[in-house]
Amino acid sequence: MSWLSKLNPQHQRLLGYVQPYRGRLVAGILLGVGYSASNGATMYIVKEVWKKVFEDSGGTMTIWQALGFAALLPLVMAVRGLCDFGATYLVNWVGTRVVNELRGKLFEHLQTLSLDFFTDARTGDLISRSTNDVNAVQNAVSIVIGDIIKQPATLVFVVAVLLKLDWRLTLATLILFPLCVIPITVFGRRIRKAAKAMQQHQASLVSVLHEALVGMRVVKAFGAEASESKSFRDLCLNLFRQRMRVVRAKAASTPMIELISGVAAAFVFLYAYRTNMPASTLVSMALGLFFMYEPVKKLSAVQMQLQESLSAAERVFYVMDQKPTVVEVPTAPALPPLARALEFDHVSFRYKRDGQEDREVLHDVQLTIPRGSLTAIVGSSGAGKTTLFNLIPRFYDPTAGSVRVDGVDIRTVTFASLRAQIGLVTQETFLFNDTVAHNIAYGKPDASREEIIAAARHAHAHEFIMQMPAQYDTLVGDLGMKISGGQRQRLAIARAILRNPPILLLDEATSALDTESERVVQAALDELMRAAGQRQITMLVIAHRLSTVQHADRIIVLDKGRVVEQGPHAELLQQARVYRRLYELQFQV
């Protein structure tokens, strides 16, 4: 079978992960060869035992002599079983470990990719590739490593014994076995095509499930339960149809191989009848045909599994081959702590949508933000405020110009040293499904409980935390859904306070809150700003409500990606331009 020596490059790439575990692999292969040899030995022993007990003894053999010969059979079967167990265990250990390593590398690689990759990718699709597709690859690795040596070796040993027993009959019988390649080839192609469609449907299924669960409040608010259920059922039905195509192709190959084996067995019995073949030879030949059926069937399963897993491997390695667009210079030095100013030097930026550059979001932004100052960024929706923030931690790189810290282009320093100096509080607060204490200490894992409590007090969060069932050890649920929006926001502020970074970014931290929650969170922000002033922390605040930034040292007004005004609150009001218009729109009532 030529395909055995022509593994797909994706499977060759998978086998490259086996290298660290080659010792166990070699041991498993040797035990597999021992299993194959024991099949040939079993055939030979059956022939000899039958011959000595029933043909040569002439009925004069005692029961003890017969038992002595018969004992050879369980002995060789015990060796066969031990070799089979050892080979199966070791090979599956290697396969499972390899795929476990692959899954870990895939997750690590996802962490290195830039944000633009996740903007274009579906979360559910990435989850499906990391779970369902990797599981499909696991089956392929175990089968390829386990059966690609073991089953052909079994055929070699069995055929060798059959040739010794009766070479004419063996050659005549083997003529039928190439016919087994036909169902393997035909159904293998169908399985690969159906498996690829099935994996795509499975990814869509996970995406719909993920979106429905995360957005359950929106689904219920708009009464869309029936619509979401119908969409999910339709996807389930499509997945069922594709899965049954795979099952049908796999199931159809086995009866065809069994039919060919049955024809071969009938031919053997007819030949034995016509040639007066000794019973011992006939029994051994029949046993040999039985032993040949298993490897032929398993090798067909290998081909089917290889085809099914090929599309899964392609989907996994597609993600593994993606390159980050924001990269660290190999010899990048660490960035010293901010001492003078953060600068935007003629910065322009365009997002990429599906690989194509979109309209310009920022245009020739020139800013200098002194250390220890409080700077507010304001503007209408879509003006480029959040994009400006995203350039500071290098979530994206400018398409023109540069962002500098004390004159050093941040593209020339390490990610770790840059991001260690930045704290971020966003309007869409993300909390992990962990304890309150763990979420507060996320940016400083070695923080003591006293430091965590102190940060929570400064963020006006300690009081509500102490009212929780387990206080600081209370689980907040997925995305922090067990607590209110204002409470989530205060935990995020406590997280920023605890980290105590030189640069603090606040992205519309109160825009999604009700009036009462906003008042409490604003008090926490005021506390944070006072502490920032004392510690010479540089703060940049994106403000939706202009009342929260009137006391800023400077207010930057963005309009369509350009800096159109900058200065203190009172001065900007006197200019009667964009800032005053925004201010009057908010306070005219």
Side-chain angles (χ1 to χ4, degrees), residues 22-206:
R22 57 185 179 274
R24 289 175 184 259
L25 176 61
V26 170
I29 290 175
L30 291 177
L31 286 171
V33 173
Y35 166 84
S36 302
S38 66
N39 286 326
T42 301
M43 293 170 55
Y44 186 78
I45 289 174
V46 165
K47 177 182 182 299
E48 291 302 313
V49 169
W50 188 284
K51 182 179 179 183
K52 290 185 179 299
V53 173
F54 297 105
E55 295 175 2
D56 295 346
S57 67
T60 62
M61 182 176 290
T62 66
I63 185 63
W64 298 110
Q65 291 175 320
L67 284 174
F69 284 111
L72 294 173
L73 288 175
L75 179 62
V76 72
M77 293 305 288
V79 172
R80 180 176 182 269
L82 288 174
C83 289
D84 190 27
F85 170 80
T88 301
Y89 176 81
L90 289 174
V91 166
N92 277 275
W93 188 97
V94 172
T96 305
R97 187 60 180 266
V98 163
V99 174
N100 187 61
E101 185 74 15
L102 177 63
R103 183 181 285 112
K105 286 185 178 296
L106 176 61
F107 184 78
E108 290 174 4
H109 184 70
L110 286 172
Q111 307 299 308
T112 69
L113 295 179
S114 307
L115 284 184
D116 53 358
F117 172 81
F118 298 98
T119 302
D120 293 335
R122 294 185 303 170
T123 301
D125 182 66
L126 294 178
I127 293 173
S128 181
R129 290 176 193 248
S130 303
T131 53
N132 299 325
D133 291 342
V134 171
N135 287 337
V137 170
Q138 178 174 345
N139 295 334
V141 171
S142 298
I143 288 175
V144 169
I145 297 175
D147 286 338
I148 211 84
I149 301 295
K150 179 179 173 182
Q151 303 308 332
T154 298
L155 284 175
V156 169
F157 281 108
V158 169
V159 170
V161 176
L162 288 175
L163 287 171
K164 181 172 177 29
L165 294 174
D166 191 319
W167 65 271
R168 293 183 181 84
L169 175 59
T170 300
L171 292 179
T173 305
L174 289 178
I175 293 175
L176 296 173
F177 276 90
L179 297 177
C180 297
V181 177
I182 297 175
I184 292 173
T185 303
V186 173
F187 292 111
R189 291 172 182 169
R190 294 183 183 180
I191 284 176
R192 180 177 176 182
K193 183 178 179 180
K196 187 172 184 179
M198 181 182 71
Q199 285 149 1
Q200 291 171 346
H201 283 300
Q202 201 156 18
S204 298
L205 192 73
V206 175

Side-chain angles (χ1 to χ4, degrees), residues 15 144 212 273 306 383 502 504 554 567 575:
L15 294 178
V144 169
Y273 172 76
L306 283 173
L504 187 57
R554 185 169 49 146
Q575 292 180 12

Side-chain angles (χ1 to χ4, degrees), residues 467-484:
Q467 295 174 358
M468 290 181 167
Q471 299 175 355
Y472 281 86
D473 295 318
T474 302
L475 293 174
V476 299
D478 286 335
L479 305 178
M481 295 303 290
K482 291 184 178 180
I483 58 178
S484 70

Side-chain angles (χ1 to χ4, degrees), residues 241-315:
R241 289 169 177 164
Q242 297 300 333
R243 183 62 192 168
M244 292 314 298
R245 287 178 63 188
V246 174
V247 171
R248 187 165 57 245
K250 285 184 176 181
S253 64
T254 299
M256 295 183 68
I257 295 173
E258 289 178 347
L259 175 61
I260 295 170
S261 299
V263 172
F267 182 76
V268 168
F269 284 113
L270 181 62
Y271 178 87
Y273 172 76
R274 297 283 297 177
T275 60
N276 293 318
M277 178 183 289
S280 59
T281 304
L282 175 60
V283 170
S284 187
M285 291 286 291
L287 184 60
L289 290 175
F290 173 78
F291 283 155
M292 287 181 66
Y293 168 73
E294 181 184 9
V296 170
K297 181 180 177 181
K298 286 193 173 181
L299 285 174
S300 70
V302 168
Q303 168 68 348
M304 304 296 180
Q305 186 62 53
L306 283 173
Q307 294 298 333
E308 184 176 355
S309 66
L310 180 58
S311 57
E314 289 173 349
R315 285 167 53 82

